[in-house]
Amino acid sequence: MTDQKKTIRVWDTKEQLGEALAASLLEAAAGAISARGRFVVALSGGSVLQMLGAGLAGRELSGHKTGLWRVCFADERLVAADDEQRNDRQAREALFSVLPVREEQVLSPQAGAGASRSAHEYERSLRELFGRQLDPRGLPRFDLILLGMGEDGHTASLFPGHRLLQMTGSWVLGLEDAPKPPPARVSLSLPVINAARKVVFGVAGSQKAPTVARALTQEATSACPASLVRPRPGELNWHLDRTAAGRLEPAQHPVQESDSPGKA
Ligand code: 6PG
């Protein structure tokens, strides 16, 4: 395959993994800003956000032109705006406390009138954001989508075997029956995730090791949605801590990292 670059990196600790996620975010931002004058990123919730926030905390961020960033979400949990389960609230606490972005740079799905409506409205804002800058298939190309993965293999709010995985007509999809609470969510669709210029997974913990091995070494299957993430043309980077990589053979993750990622 010539149009996709995939790397798997294994870090000794979660802290190093967080620093690697931070380095990856800042590098993608610098590249996008120099190529296109802005950086459009979609974040996910859960531990990946916490690790990224911790990784950014020690960095000098003033030279990173964060005023040119637009921060979106790969998925959102449709609960009240101030509910601590919301990904945008977690981002405010874990990330925007260290990363200088203003409220008007952040685009997140809102709860209120049901998941389909919320998905529709979020898609409308994304269409405004991307304007005519779409790929030949009419899809937006996020500069970076940051994803986590659940023990069951879900990513964003695309769950194993769920009908959303077959839906290709919309950029954003709503669901009311997520198996992981809360049940009402919106998610970027798989085609939109796979249209990104770069997708980065951050996964830690031994409980996820079997699913990591499944996603990375077996056939892509809707039983493990993370395995279906293959941006093309685009770049796919998996960052794992040693415990999450525990079921991979050394030959399956040739890049072993024992030093901290360089700080820009
Ligand atoms: C969500 C997330 C989801 C998350 C995974 C992994 O809103 O639920 O976006 O896709 O990234 O569930 O979460 P953990 O890393 O916390 O296990």
Side-chain angles (χ1 to χ4, degrees):
M1 191 191 314
T2 54
D3 55 357
Q4 184 191 69
K5 191 173 160 239
K6 173 173 158 187
T7 62
I8 302 168
R9 292 181 167 229
V10 180
W11 301 93
D12 276 341
T13 64
K14 251 171 95 164
E15 289 67 33
Q16 288 177 348
L17 200 171
E19 288 173 14
L21 295 174
S24 191
L25 175 83
L26 296 175
E27 187 192 313
I33 289 169
S34 94
R36 291 173 295 283
R38 70 173 183 175
F39 174 53
V40 187
V41 59
L43 303 173
S44 297
S47 62
V48 69
L49 201 54
Q50 307 301 328
M51 292 188 287
L52 174 65
L56 281 171
R59 287 182 173 255
E60 173 50 55
L61 296 168
S62 55
H64 285 279
K65 299 185 180 164
T66 52
L68 298 174
W69 293 27
R70 294 292 174 274
V71 181
C72 310
F73 288 85
D75 72 328
E76 184 54 280
R77 304 155 179 198
L78 297 179
V79 286
D82 58 347
D83 192 303
E84 59 188 21
Q85 295 179 86
R86 278 189 65 93
N87 291 338
D88 61 359
R89 174 163 173 191
Q90 290 175 17
R92 278 186 184 93
E93 285 164 8
L95 221 57
F96 306 153
S97 50
V98 290
L99 190 69
V101 296
R102 300 181 309 277
E103 271 307 312
E104 57 269 30
Q105 293 172 248
V106 180
L107 217 67
S108 59
Q110 299 309 312
S116 313
R117 176 94 198 162
S118 171
H120 182 77
E121 282 169 8
Y122 186 47
E123 178 165 332
R124 204 173 52 192
S125 338
L126 291 178
R127 284 186 182 274
E128 246 171 61
L129 174 66
F130 283 94
R132 292 192 191 160
Q133 293 170 30
L134 304 179
D135 78 1
R137 297 161 297 179
L139 296 172
R141 298 203 73 197
F142 281 90
D143 294 306
L144 174 67
I145 300 183
L146 180 73
L147 295 174
M149 183 187 74
E151 277 177 64
D152 61 354
H154 82 266
T155 191
S157 283
L158 301 174
F159 289 90
H162 198 280
R163 66 182 186 288
L164 257 53
L165 290 166
Q166 313 306 327
M167 293 170 73
T168 55
S170 301
W171 293 6
V172 184
L173 302 165
L175 68 165
E176 310 262 1
D177 59 352
K180 176 184 174 184
R185 291 160 173 257
V186 298
S187 180
L188 294 181
S189 68
L190 191 57
V192 167
I193 293 174
N194 280 337
R197 295 177 196 278
K198 182 168 183 174
V199 175
V200 170
F201 276 92
V203 182
S206 57
Q207 74 285 6
K208 294 186 182 173
T211 321
V212 165
R214 183 175 189 189
L216 287 173
T217 65
Q218 293 177 21
E219 289 272 292
T221 161
S222 59
C224 179
S227 70
L228 300 171
V229 174
R230 296 178 173 194
R232 203 174 286 154
E235 199 179 322
L236 176 63
N237 299 161
W238 280 74
H239 289 278
L240 307 169
D241 78 341
R242 192 161 297 289
T243 62
R247 297 277 185 97
L248 294 176
E249 299 297 329
Q252 290 166 332
H253 56 90
V255 186
Q256 285 278 347
E257 310 282 357
S258 45
D259 295 328
S260 288
K263 292 192 175 185

